Amino acid sequence: MNSNGTWKFLGGLGVVFALPWLVLIVIPFLSMSSTAPVAYVEADEVEGGLTAYPDRSTLRYGASDFGADVYASEGCVYCHTQMVRPTYAGPDMWRQGWGGREADGLARETRPEDYLGEKFAFLGYQRIGPDLSNVGYRVANREEMHQHLRDPKSVIRDGSDNRDSGMPAYKHLYKLDTMTNKLVPTDRAEALVDYLMSRRKDAKIPASLVGK
Amino acid sequence: MTVQQPTAEDMQERAIIDRSARFPVMFFFTSAAAWLFVGTLLGLFSSLKLSQPGLGDSFGIFGYGRIYPAHTIAMVYGWAMQAGIGVLIWLMARLTRNPVRRGLAILVAGHVWNAAVAVSIICVIIAKGRSIPWLDFPGWLWPLFAFSYALMVIWVIPMFHSRKGGPVYISEKFIVGAVIWFPWIFLTANFLIGAETAPVLSAGVDAWYISNLITFWMAPLTLAVAYYIVPKIAGRPLYSYTLASISFWVLAVLAGWTGFSRYMGGPFPSWMPAISGACSILLLLAIIAAVANIGVTLKGCSKVWELSPSLRFTVFGVLMLAVYALLAAASSTFLIGGPLQFTPFSAGLDTLAVYGFFSMSLFGAIYFIVPRITGAEWPSGRRIRRHFWFSAYGIISLIVLMLVGGIAHGGGMAVWNRPFSTLFSISTAYSTGLCVVWAMISFSNFWFMHQLGMMFIGKGRKSGGPTLIHGEPGAAVGAKEAAGITS
């Protein structure tokens, strides 16, 4: 084996890249993998009897898990974020309904624990449409959500219309029922609505996590 | 890299190397060019869809959320990876003076790679995508990419080890770096994201992967090409080898830290976006040093710039690398990056990396390499000129659009009580402009694909000097010497 410096060079390349790889990616990944729901201490427990953070109702179960796949496969991520930034990075918290329940004083930016139970946090790529972190609070009910997917421009919310919306109609998620001559949701549409209605990232933070 | 005239023995050795590289390299170039054309058409369609959302909305397959990732896959895995692999195989063979071996294995793996790209695009279009930017293909496909990548480029390492001749040239360092870093980031990203245990950090790993694919694959190959082509065509040694080497190590140390600033203000420990942002800014040092080095080498060579297609594309790519590095550094500060986050600016930055600097430099390399391995000259200087100007205008328009569109969209988002739906008129203006950009780029790449196809089937010009941008082919004999172009 000739010693022309090949292995020294390759070793150098390995060492300089191993540092960010370990410090920025592998170690934080492993430590964040163990993020388990945090228990509330008795004194902190809020009304409604939450026992763990985040609120169990926001975790994905059953149909909502399928809904996340529909959300991903339709590429919603390319126009919608799920990441509410703190005020030093942008005015997200000022936008009505983005930070969750303002009236209850629960509005806040998103935290790592909010995405617990998901396969991948769809933080987003562009914001051609609004943030969806708390869309489950902004939309009144499932029927309104279906209407928004079927014909976005026809939705009237909080007294203002949605005519300017650039959202395309997701007609292919609905099929025509020949008996009633109406568009009825497919399984994919129901799952997507399940998922969207479960977008509530504003559970009360346990005292043990505040400031972290 | 000397300016001495090559001896007859050297010429014979080069001919053997070029012949050995012919089939694998031409295969990568032609399939990459075909994917590039598909990718630019998908880019055109996705921006059309963004400006006219109602277009064909009864059909799911036309959704912007499916077309855009399909476009990215075609551009990144179809074009950028394959063109890069073709160029690095030839460059490595020439620089280490080793013929290309295992041509058959490389070709077989190349077919597997192309099949994987095709399946990825189809899966994304028929709603099997994962919506993980730049990794949208279904999870079961990544071993196929990893496996065929290994079979295609692993031969570069023994080639490097058994190099002949003098000290290691700087382009070899960049190539070996890119060859090793890509599988490292690709496997890391796919393993960790596939584990599905840390959802938030998976999103961060994806941002890191995108940034590293740009700084550890596209930027090194752009510079490897420039450090090879510029001294070769200008006929003079590189201005400073030491500076080039220092900038290589600065890039190697810093680039692995970048990426998280895409999600600054996101649900991460705040040191992560902070360190990414700081390293993006420091990375400017490496890029500016490299660009200045190439600029000084070229001083007083305007005549060659006018004539040589390789030099013109490569130098334009290097300039765009500087623009990209500057914009990326600016957008990793809260002051500039905060308002521009999630606007057309941040998406445009990715396009600028893939098409702006990487592709342009690689076009330069391809215009240089193909005549040498096929033994024929490009059919038409006019078409090369067309390819250059339509691409260049497309890229410059893209930069203007992403800046104006980003500032307008970001400014609109900053007005907290402005209904979000009214911002759509701003993105419509941007995406209409983007249609024009992609139309220009598609047009230019049609001619590129056409030219490359002619060379592939042996319809190149058989005699005369190299095809130059100005002047009719054939009439260019003698201009070769005038311009100082050596083969």
Side-chain angles (χ1 to χ4, degrees):
Chain A
M1 182 154 300
N2 63 0
S3 56
N4 59 2
T6 302
W7 305 115
K8 210 170 126 191
F9 177 64
L10 293 182
L13 292 184
V15 168
V16 294
F17 187 55
L19 189 69
W21 182 68
L22 280 174
V23 174
L24 192 65
I25 302 297
V26 176
I27 295 172
F29 192 92
L30 294 179
S31 70
M32 282 172 93
S33 288
S34 59
T35 309
V38 180
Y40 280 113
V41 284
E42 200 73 24
D44 284 348
E45 197 168 308
V46 292
E47 275 179 67
L50 296 178
T51 54
Y53 169 75
D55 183 350
R56 284 192 170 279
S57 67
T58 67
L59 294 184
R60 301 189 328 170
Y61 289 111
S64 161
D65 199 60
F66 174 34
D69 293 343
V70 178
Y71 186 83
S73 64
E74 294 295 339
C76 307
V77 174
Y78 287 97
C79 294
H80 293 283
T81 57
Q82 285 191 37
M83 173 180 134
V84 179
R85 298 175 294 176
T87 309
Y88 64 77
D92 299 3
M93 293 290 292
W94 291 47
R95 286 202 173 265
Q96 204 188 352
W98 276 30
R101 285 173 290 181
E102 283 112 355
D104 304 343
L106 286 176
R108 59 167 176 80
E109 62 269 31
T110 40
R111 297 174 52 90
E113 297 84 358
D114 291 334
Y115 303 85
L116 217 64
E118 303 192 22
K119 287 194 252 178
F120 184 85
F122 295 118
L123 299 187
Y125 190 73
Q126 255 186 284
R127 249 181 205 165
I128 295 166
D131 189 88
L132 298 182
S133 300
N134 288 297
V135 71
Y137 285 118
R138 295 204 295 273
V139 176
N141 52 45
R142 293 179 64 89
E143 184 37 49
E144 191 186 319
M145 196 76 246
H146 276 302
Q147 190 193 346
H148 205 132
L149 291 171
R150 211 166 41 219
D151 188 6
K153 290 184 203 294
S154 73
V155 175
I156 293 171
R157 187 170 301 133
D158 301 331
S160 64
D161 66 50
N162 204 27
R163 266 181 321 186
D164 299 328
S165 168
M167 181 167 154
Y170 282 80
K171 291 174 196 155
H172 62 279
L173 293 177
Y174 296 84
K175 55 178 187 270
L176 193 69
D177 184 350
T178 43
M179 297 289 281
T180 57
N181 210 19
K182 269 178 154 176
L183 283 175
V184 293
T186 59
D187 292 349
R188 282 170 67 82
E190 294 287 9
L192 183 58
V193 169
D194 277 335
Y195 174 77
L196 290 171
M197 295 307 284
S198 73
R199 296 299 88 199
R200 299 167 182 207
K201 298 190 197 303
D202 63 346
K204 203 169 179 183
I205 308 164
S208 62
L209 280 179
V210 171
K212 273 194 185 170
Chain B
M1 198 60 57
T2 59
V3 279
Q4 292 155 6
Q5 285 304 309
T7 63
E9 218 168 87
D10 286 340
M11 297 299 277
Q12 200 184 0
E13 192 185 39
R14 286 177 187 173
I16 292 170
I17 292 170
D18 287 347
R19 211 161 39 236
S20 73
R22 175 172 182 170
F23 288 104
V25 170
M26 276 311 278
F27 171 77
F28 288 125
F29 287 171
T30 41
S31 42
W35 281 122
L36 175 62
F37 188 60
V38 172
T40 53
L41 286 183
L42 286 168
L44 173 61
F45 188 67
S46 74
S47 28
L48 200 63
K49 183 69 182 149
L50 204 54
S51 58
Q52 302 292 330
L55 195 73
D57 62 0
S58 311
F59 303 99
I61 55 167
F62 294 148
Y64 172 77
R66 301 193 199 175
I67 299 295
Y68 188 82
H71 149 75
T72 320
I73 290 173
M75 294 297 277
V76 173
Y77 300 95
W79 154 249
M81 290 302 301
Q82 291 202 90
I85 290 169
V87 166
L88 74 84
I89 288 176
W90 185 85
L91 272 184
M92 210 56 185
R94 272 293 193 95
L95 287 166
T96 64
R97 302 193 184 180
N98 281 312
V100 178
R101 297 201 178 83
R102 312 263 193 274
L104 189 67
I106 295 176
L107 275 175
V108 170
H111 281 90
V112 175
W113 180 279
N114 274 289
V117 174
V119 173
S120 301
I121 291 175
I122 292 168
C123 282
V124 168
I125 300 237
I126 62 167
K128 296 271 184 270
R130 291 192 292 178
S131 270
I132 299 171
W134 289 37
L135 290 171
D136 292 87
F137 44 77
W140 52 268
L141 264 167
W142 71 260
L144 215 54
F145 280 113
F147 172 73
S148 49
Y149 175 85
L151 267 184
M152 289 188 284
V153 303
I154 200 149
W155 322 110
V156 166
I157 303 297
M159 231 187 228
F160 176 67
H161 186 58
S162 60
R163 61 187 177 271
K164 295 172 202 143
V168 183
Y169 188 59
I170 186 69
S171 296
E172 292 174 69
K173 289 190 181 176
F174 277 109
I175 290 170
V176 173
V179 160
I180 289 178
W181 288 321
F182 172 74
W184 199 337
I185 57 168
F186 186 77
L187 293 178
T188 304
N190 279 292
F191 264 116
L192 295 185
I193 293 171
E196 299 180 352
T197 52
V200 168
L201 212 72
S202 293
V205 168
D206 179 55
W208 172 82
Y209 171 75
I210 295 176
S211 172
N212 276 238
L213 194 51
I214 293 168
T215 49
F216 269 157
W217 177 265
M218 298 183 185
L221 289 181
T222 297
L223 291 174
V225 164
Y227 283 134
Y228 183 84
I229 298 259
V230 168
K232 198 94 174 168
I233 293 182
R236 51 173 78 164
L238 187 62
Y239 170 69
S240 166
Y241 186 82
T242 317
L243 186 61
S245 192
I246 291 173
S247 70
F248 169 79
W249 285 107
V250 173
L251 180 115
V253 168
L254 293 173
W257 295 94
T258 60
F260 278 76
S261 42
R262 177 185 293 267
Y263 290 135
M264 59 193 186
F268 298 98
S270 50
W271 64 268
M272 297 174 98
I275 202 164
S276 280
C279 287
S280 297
I281 294 166
L282 288 175
L283 206 52
L284 263 179
L285 290 175
I287 304 296
I288 287 173
V291 173
N293 204 354
I294 290 161
V296 176
T297 306
L298 265 179
K299 211 168 153 201
C301 282
S302 56
K303 176 94 177 132
V304 195
W305 155 266
E306 274 174 30
L307 291 176
S308 163
S310 304
L311 189 71
R312 195 188 275 198
F313 275 98
T314 306
V315 170
F316 186 85
V318 169
L319 289 175
M320 288 304 116
L321 174 60
V323 172
Y324 171 82
L326 200 67
L327 293 178
S331 71
S332 51
T333 62
F334 274 122
L335 184 68
I336 297 169
L340 292 180
Q341 201 175 12
F342 300 132
T343 65
F345 177 85
S346 50
L349 212 49
D350 292 344
T351 311
L352 183 60
V354 181
Y355 199 78
F357 74 77
F358 179 75
S359 302
M360 289 304 265
S361 294
L362 271 271
F363 289 143
I366 291 171
Y367 279 121
F368 187 83
I369 294 169
V370 173
R372 282 163 180 76
I373 57 178
T374 57
E377 295 298 333
W378 292 98
S380 159
R382 197 161 45 94
R383 286 179 194 150
I384 298 178
R385 194 161 69 227
R386 207 181 276 166
H387 181 204
F388 178 80
W389 284 114
F390 275 92
S391 286
Y393 277 124
I395 293 165
I396 290 166
S397 318
L398 170 76
I399 296 172
V400 173
L401 272 172
M402 69 189 239
L403 281 173
V404 175
I407 291 168
H409 200 264
M413 281 203 292
V415 184
W416 62 273
N417 55 0
R418 179 174 175 171
F420 212 89
S421 59
T422 62
L423 292 177
F424 186 67
S425 55
I426 298 170
S427 43
T428 315
Y430 165 78
S431 44
T432 309
L434 210 56
C435 288
V436 179
V437 166
W438 282 118
M440 284 201 278
I441 293 179
S442 299
F443 178 74
S444 82
N445 281 298
F446 174 77
W447 292 110
F448 174 63
M449 190 175 67
H450 175 259
Q451 292 258 82
L452 201 58
M454 297 273 279
M455 296 294 271
F456 187 66
I457 58 170
K459 287 274 171 71
R461 234 162 21 82
K462 294 290 184 216
S463 62
T467 303
L468 303 174
I469 290 182
H470 290 285
E472 281 307 302
V477 189
K480 177 188 173 186
E481 283 71 33
I485 299 168
T486 55
S487 38

